Amino acid sequence: MSLDRNPEEFYKKLKTQLEETSSWPAPYLYKFIVPANAEKEAQIEGLFDHLGAVIKKNVSRTGKYTSVSINVRLDNPDVVIEKYKEVGKIEGVISL
């Protein structure tokens, strides 16, 4: 997910795409790359507490990174974007 140029424009476009392609509430799959750091992984997991999320983690071959996949049913595109913004505040996390 490239936010280099204009993050608000990116989120606006994402919201439009989500509205056009899904009937809400709907499942959504997040994918993040995190430096191998249990604290950062726990921070991400904490953002999805009490949402019924299914979280899968895979450590890279070198052990430097962990991929975190989160499958969760959300009410609307605004919640999807809100979660991206919350995770984006965690240093070093890459959203895919």
Side-chain angles (χ1 to χ4, degrees):
M1 180 163 74
S2 178
L3 302 175
D4 296 340
R5 296 188 183 167
N6 185 343
E8 289 309 312
E9 189 64 34
F10 171 81
Y11 288 127
K12 182 179 175 182
K13 183 177 177 181
L14 176 61
K15 181 178 178 176
T16 300
Q17 289 174 338
L18 291 172
E19 289 172 337
E20 291 174 355
T21 61
S22 298
S23 178
W24 297 91
Y28 189 80
L29 177 63
Y30 292 92
K31 290 191 176 194
F32 304 107
I33 302 296
V34 186
N37 178 315
E39 183 179 322
K40 289 182 191 264
E41 292 172 30
Q43 285 179 303
I44 292 172
E45 290 178 30
L47 294 174
F48 293 89
D49 269 355
H50 310 295
L51 295 177
V54 176
I55 301 173
K56 294 182 182 179
K57 297 187 282 186
N58 290 312
V59 178
S60 69
R61 185 171 30 92
T62 62
K64 293 181 181 180
Y65 297 96
T66 301
S67 69
V68 180
S69 298
I70 302 170
N71 199 335
V72 61
R73 187 169 185 84
L74 298 172
D75 291 333
N76 59 58
D78 292 325
V79 179
V80 172
I81 292 167
E82 176 186 322
K83 290 297 178 189
Y84 271 123
K85 288 179 178 181
E86 290 174 1
V87 172
K89 294 177 184 176
I90 301 171
E91 185 178 336
V93 176
I94 300 169
S95 298
L96 302 176

